[in-house]
């Protein structure tokens, strides 16, 4: 019996050395990281030199977005100016202000504090916002395939840390649900 247990233990150890159960996850993670790096290279090449083309600005007032966070809540407050080349583009942007705000919220809320806390992270965030707004505009105006937004400038960039645990948030929501008008 001892020999059988020893054999099984030795077999299990050898098998575990041959088969790394985390390898598929590592491959996916490395693949995702590689895709992210490639995306950022493309966006940097596309938007990093566009400030020279900007003649007009379209301002978006403060937008608040919850950042991805495992513990507590982190809220990003951001106000931006969108740089455009032609004055006519300002009219287009004013008509789709809600879409622009939505794009900013969706992109920002998909980021962690760590991703946006560096200068490079803020730069990438601005490129992603420009790219997403341009994509939205081009989907609405099928005959044009022009990048209206040349660059995004942050007028305000503030992260508020609200360290409230999940348990406290659930209790607060439950208390609010008990209140009847």
């Amino acid at each position: 019996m001892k020999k059988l247990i020893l054999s099984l233990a030795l077999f299990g150890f050898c098998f575990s050395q041959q088969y790394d159960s985390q390898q598929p996850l590592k491959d996916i993670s490395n693949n995702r990281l590689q895709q992210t790096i490639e995306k950022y290279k493309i966006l940097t090449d596309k938007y990093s030199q566009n400030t020279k083309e900007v003649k007009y600005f379209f301002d978006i007032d403060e937008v608040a977005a919850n950042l991805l966070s495992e513990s507590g809540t982190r809220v990003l407050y951001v106000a931006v100016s969108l740089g455009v080349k032609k004055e006519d583009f300002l009219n287009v942007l004013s008509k789709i202000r809600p879409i622009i705000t939505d794009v900013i919220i969706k992109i920002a809320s998909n980021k962690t504090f760590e991703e946006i806390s560096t200068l490079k992270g803020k730069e990438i965030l601005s490129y992603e916002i420009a790219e997403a707004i341009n994509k939205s505009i081009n989907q609405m105006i099928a005959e044009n395939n022009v990048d209206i937004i040349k660059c995004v400038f942050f007028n305000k960039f503030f992260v508020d840390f609200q360290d409230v645990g999940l348990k406290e948030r659930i209790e607060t929501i439950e208390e609010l649900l008990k209140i009847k008008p």
Side-chain angles (χ1 to χ4, degrees):
M1 186 68 166
K2 287 183 180 180
K3 286 183 180 181
L4 178 62
I5 293 173
L6 184 59
S7 297
L8 288 174
L10 184 58
F11 175 76
F13 176 76
C14 292
F15 182 76
S16 69
Q17 295 301 314
Q18 292 287 38
Y19 179 74
D20 181 1
S21 64
Q22 297 297 316
Q23 190 59 39
L25 294 176
K26 290 176 186 174
D27 290 344
I28 291 170
S29 179
N30 288 337
N31 188 27
R32 188 169 178 205
L33 179 62
Q34 189 61 36
Q35 289 174 344
T36 302
I37 290 169
E38 290 301 318
K39 178 183 171 187
Y40 293 156
K41 283 181 184 177
I42 292 167
L43 290 175
T44 300
D45 290 344
K46 185 173 181 177
Y47 291 103
S48 64
Q49 300 299 316
N50 282 354
T51 56
K52 298 172 188 171
E53 298 180 43
V54 172
K55 304 282 189 247
Y56 303 95
F57 296 97
F58 184 80
D59 293 331
I60 298 293
D61 295 330
E62 183 179 290
V63 175
N66 291 320
L67 297 175
L68 289 176
S69 175
E70 289 181 17
S71 61
T73 302
R74 295 178 180 181
V75 180
L76 171 65
Y77 297 95
V78 65
V80 299
S81 288
L82 307 175
V84 296
K85 189 175 184 176
K86 297 179 182 177
E87 189 174 11
D88 295 344
F89 294 155
L90 297 176
N91 293 331
V92 173
L93 295 175
S94 67
K95 292 177 184 175
I96 63 164
R97 185 182 295 270
I99 294 170
I100 295 168
T101 302
D102 180 65
V103 164
I104 294 169
I105 291 170
K106 286 178 180 172
I107 290 173
S109 64
N110 208 13
K111 300 287 183 187
T112 63
F113 173 72
E114 292 74 22
E115 288 176 308
I116 63 167
S117 63
T118 65
L119 180 60
K120 188 67 173 172
K122 290 174 182 67
E123 187 176 286
I124 290 168
L125 178 62
S126 71
Y127 298 158
E128 288 178 336
I129 290 169
E131 182 75 5
I133 294 170
N134 282 329
K135 184 177 178 183
S136 294
I137 292 169
N138 286 325
Q139 287 175 348
M140 291 173 25
I141 307 170
E143 69 270 3
N144 286 340
N145 197 12
V146 177
D147 289 336
I148 291 178
I149 308 300
K150 296 299 179 184
C151 55
V152 174
F153 296 99
F154 293 113
N155 299 325
K156 180 179 186 177
F157 197 98
F158 177 76
V159 178
D160 185 17
F161 294 86
Q162 300 173 351
D163 290 325
V164 177
L166 180 59
K167 184 178 177 182
E168 289 91 11
R169 283 187 262 165
I170 291 171
E171 289 171 356
T172 303
I173 291 170
E174 287 174 345
E175 288 298 322
L176 288 173
L177 292 175
K178 290 179 186 176
I179 299 171
K180 294 181 180 178

